[in-house]
Amino acid sequence: MASYLQIADDEKGHELDLFCIPRHYENDLDKVIIPHGLIMDRTERLARDIIQDMGGHHIVALCVLKGGYKFFADLLDYIKALNQNSDKSVPLTVDFIRVKSYCNDKSTNSVKVIGGDELSNLRGKHFLFGLQDIVETGRTMQTLLSLLGECHPKMVKVVSLLVKRTPRSSGYRPDYIGFEVPDAFLVGYALDYNEYFRDLSHICILNDGAKEKYKV
């Protein structure tokens, strides 16, 4: 069972005025639920765990765009630092895939994969590492894992920064988890609402007014 830091359903979070929030988002957020510094500390620990488990094996680090790009970059930075300063090291190459499964604040019933035709390059790799920002229903990652399975990698491990507690979950759990979070719509640290809020450093809860304001 993957270990993780649990954010409780009744977590009060932090007032926005305690943090540096871009002016253009000040009226769109309820609270900061995971400050940037805590994200970075947890990400560093995930990097240590991955090095401990995977040290010596070649990993293809597969980033799930767009929401995973910030977590992907920061996690790989920590892995690279550990490669230079510890007894174990992990040879790394990187690849990218884009998926889309949201319209406004609702997860759709379909998962659109963009760039899946390039996954054949991953055939037979020893360790394949999917990096995702958030697992909610689990359908996106299950679809991606099915595609990856067609390429016959030797092993697949998945790391997700967030896993949402929701009755809509299929029960899927990644191998590595940063935080388990309440069933709220979260933005920031590259998590978006219709492409907004990716430039927010902290993970925050979006308020209802913003859902209407940025609706498409």
Side-chain angles (χ1 to χ4, degrees), residues 177-189:
I177 299 168
F179 302 87
E180 186 184 83
V181 295
D183 192 7
F185 198 89
L186 305 179
V187 293
Y189 194 67

Side-chain angles (χ1 to χ4, degrees), residues 136-173:
E136 183 176 351
T137 65
R139 284 196 301 268
T140 298
M141 188 51 70
Q142 286 174 318
T143 298
L144 184 52
L145 287 172
S146 177
L147 286 172
L148 294 176
E150 295 173 7
C151 300
H152 306 292
K154 293 183 178 177
M155 180 174 286
V156 178
K157 294 286 186 181
V158 177
V159 56
S160 181
L161 177 64
L162 307 175
V163 171
K164 187 177 287 189
R165 284 189 305 279
T166 171
R168 299 181 299 281
S169 172
S170 66
Y172 170 77
R173 304 284 285 187

Side-chain angles (χ1 to χ4, degrees), residues 27-30 193 206-215:
N27 298 320
D28 301 325
L29 308 168
D30 275 343
Y193 178 75
L206 192 68
N207 65 34
D208 291 337
K211 291 177 185 177
E212 189 62 32
K213 177 180 176 181
Y214 298 104
K215 190 176 181 179

Side-chain angles (χ1 to χ4, degrees), residues 83-100:
N83 274 347
Q84 295 168 2
N85 298 298
S86 62
D87 294 333
K88 284 190 174 183
S89 64
V90 176
L92 276 173
T93 53
V94 300
D95 214 327
F96 302 87
I97 190 169
R98 183 179 171 189
V99 299
K100 185 174 179 61

Side-chain angles (χ1 to χ4, degrees), residues 13 27 34 54 56 65 69 91 94 121 130 161 164 168 199:
N27 298 320
I34 311 178
M54 307 293 184
L65 297 171
Y69 83 84
V94 300
N121 297 332
L161 177 64
K164 187 177 287 189
R168 299 181 299 281
D199 54 334

